[in-house]
Structure formats: C-alpha cells, structure tokens
C-alpha cells in the first residue's frame, strides 16, 4: 500500500497509510451539464455511467506523491482535482490532486482507465475544517507543458464540483469514512484547443482568502517500447 505524508500550514505533518482510493466521476455541481457531457463523450465512444455522479475504486498503490509519471503511449493525460484524505482519528484533509488517465483505454471502460495511471497528490494539505466555510471560493487550476512551454488548460473554482461535504456524507453512508481513505473529486472542463497529451502537468489548489496555494508538478515520461 502507499504511505503519503502531508505538511499542514502550521508545519505539522500527517502520515497516511492508504487503504482505499475512490475516484469520483461526472461530479459537476450542475448535473444538467454533466448529462450534456456524458452525451458528448458517448459520441467519442466513451461509455457512459449507469448513474451520476459515479464512483470508481482504484488500487491503493496508485495514490502517489511523485514528480514523474511513466506512461506506455502518447495518449494519456491528467485532470485537475482536489482530494479528500481521511487521516488518523478521522481528521479530514484537503489537497490538490491530478488523476492521470489512459485515454485510449477510457473508450473501453472508465474504471479500467482510472486504474491504468496514478492519482498524483500534493505534499501539502489543509484541514478541511479550516477552509470548509469558504470551500466554494477555492480555486483549481492546471497547466500542461509542451517542449518547455507552459499553457493553462483548466481553471475554475470548487463551486463547479460537488462539495467535499457531499462526499463526506457519501463515504459515511458506504462505511468508508475511515482512516486511509482517499477520495478524488472529479474534474472541471478543459480549455478547448489545448493539447492535453503533454510532457508535464501542474495543478494548483488556491485559497484567495489567505493567498495560500497547494501545488503539484510532474513530468510525463514514456516507457521503453515493449519487446515481444
């Protein structure tokens, strides 16, 4: 299993032994917009979920704090997300995350594609209780890098997604609000015309009230070609 370490604003740390990871999908606050998105994906051959929002279990070892993601081909990409992490004693942490997904595999099954790449998490976190009163004002942004050129590909606020409180209630109803659980939020729209198949990804979760920003960066590294 993965062991993640988070630094909090007061300088203290939390070590979390990950026992389960759940990736939310189709998790926009406006489910009418989600329905339109499902229809768009269906035209691209991506199978739609039976219900929305969806929740996909992911192998716990895929929760990583890393600066490098190795991929098998050139059609994988990240997604800017936030992550809810249940630490010891049930303490809830909020951090930035990037769900790296195999887009070729996605057309055969979203759950499969989610298990084909890591969920990269930042190394810093906030206590959810410290920011929950203004959670909709928190910003979520992502940039892609191509040959050293950095371009913003996603930008919005957490008001566009189902709130952490929604997922806290969902996890509690599933008996999954337990230490070692990581919930990845689902993502916001990508900017049209920006190539998502990039050399690197950066994600920022920002708090305009304090100016604090939680950030992660990683490079996308092709593996050697298979032999045989």
């Amino acid at each position: 299993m993965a062991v993640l370490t988070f630094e909090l604003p007061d300088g203290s740390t939390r070590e979390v032994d990950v026992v389960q990871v759940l990736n939310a999908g189709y998790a926009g606050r406006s489910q009418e917009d989600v329905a339109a998105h499902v229809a768009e994906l269906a035209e691209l051959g991506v199978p739609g979920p039976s219900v929305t929002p969806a929740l996909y279990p992911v192998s716990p070892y895929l929760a990583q704090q890393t600066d490098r993601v190795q991929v098998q081909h050139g059609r994988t990409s990240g997604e800017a997300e936030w992550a809810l992490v249940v630490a010891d004693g049930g303490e809830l942490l909020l951090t930035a995350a990037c769900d790296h997904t195999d887009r070729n595999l996605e057309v055969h099954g979203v759950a499969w594609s989610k298990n084909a790449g890591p969920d990269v998490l930042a190394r810093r976190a906030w206590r959810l209780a410290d920011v929950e009163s203004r959670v909709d004002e928190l910003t979520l942004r992502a940039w892609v890098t191509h040959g050293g050129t950095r371009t913003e590909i996603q930008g919005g606020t957490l008001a566009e997604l189902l709130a952490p409180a929604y997922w806290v209630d969902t996890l509690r109803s599933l008996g999954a609000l337990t230490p070692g659980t990581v919930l990845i939020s689902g993502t916001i729209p990508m900017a049209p015309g920006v190539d998502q198949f990039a050399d690197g990804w950066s994600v920022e979760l920002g708090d305009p009230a304090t100016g604090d920003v939680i950030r992660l960066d990683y490079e996308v590294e092709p593996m050697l070609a298979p032999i045989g």
Side-chain angles (χ1 to χ4, degrees):
M1 302 300 180
V3 177
L4 306 177
T5 302
F6 299 97
E7 181 181 348
L8 273 59
D10 62 6
S12 64
T13 60
R14 301 291 186 272
E15 189 172 276
V16 178
D17 188 356
V18 179
V19 297
Q20 65 179 342
V21 179
L22 299 166
N23 278 29
Y26 309 99
R29 189 81 60 93
S30 168
Q31 286 293 293
E32 289 183 1
D33 290 346
V34 168
H37 181 54
V38 170
E40 291 172 355
L41 290 176
E43 293 180 1
L44 299 174
V46 178
S50 57
V51 297
T52 61
L55 202 57
Y56 303 103
V58 173
S59 298
Y61 71 86
L62 292 174
Q64 299 180 17
Q65 291 170 317
T66 183
D67 58 8
R68 183 173 291 104
V69 170
Q70 293 187 316
V71 298
Q72 298 184 56
H73 56 80
R75 291 186 62 81
T76 71
S77 67
E79 294 178 346
E81 314 211 4
W82 54 259
L84 178 72
V85 180
V86 186
D88 287 346
E91 183 181 35
L92 301 178
L93 307 179
L94 189 71
T95 190
C98 195
D99 172 20
H100 203 83
T101 300
D102 187 317
R103 301 302 178 186
N104 278 358
L105 190 56
E106 193 172 39
V107 299
H108 300 287
V110 173
W112 293 349
S113 70
K114 297 295 183 187
N115 276 276
D119 286 323
V120 181
L121 284 82
R123 292 180 169 87
R124 295 184 60 242
W126 299 317
R127 296 179 185 88
L128 178 61
D130 292 341
V131 297
E132 192 163 21
S133 64
R134 58 182 184 275
V135 71
D136 281 358
E137 301 167 17
L138 302 182
T139 59
L140 187 60
R141 302 175 70 190
W143 293 262
V144 289
T145 303
H146 294 275
T149 300
R150 191 166 176 262
T151 306
E152 185 168 355
I153 189 170
Q154 292 177 280
T157 68
L158 269 59
E160 298 177 51
L161 296 168
L162 292 170
Y166 173 90
W167 292 112
V168 168
D169 290 343
T170 298
L171 293 176
R172 185 179 290 114
S173 71
L174 295 172
L177 193 66
T178 51
T181 294
V182 176
L183 182 286
I184 310 293
S185 68
T187 195
I188 58 177
M190 292 188 185
V194 179
D195 183 5
Q196 63 183 293
F197 304 120
D199 304 325
W201 276 77
S202 303
V203 174
E204 287 186 358
L205 180 65
D207 183 356
T210 64
D212 195 12
V213 174
I214 294 175
R215 180 187 177 93
L216 66 88
D217 303 274
Y218 64 86
E219 296 178 359
V220 179
E221 182 178 275
M223 297 181 189
L224 291 176
I227 300 174

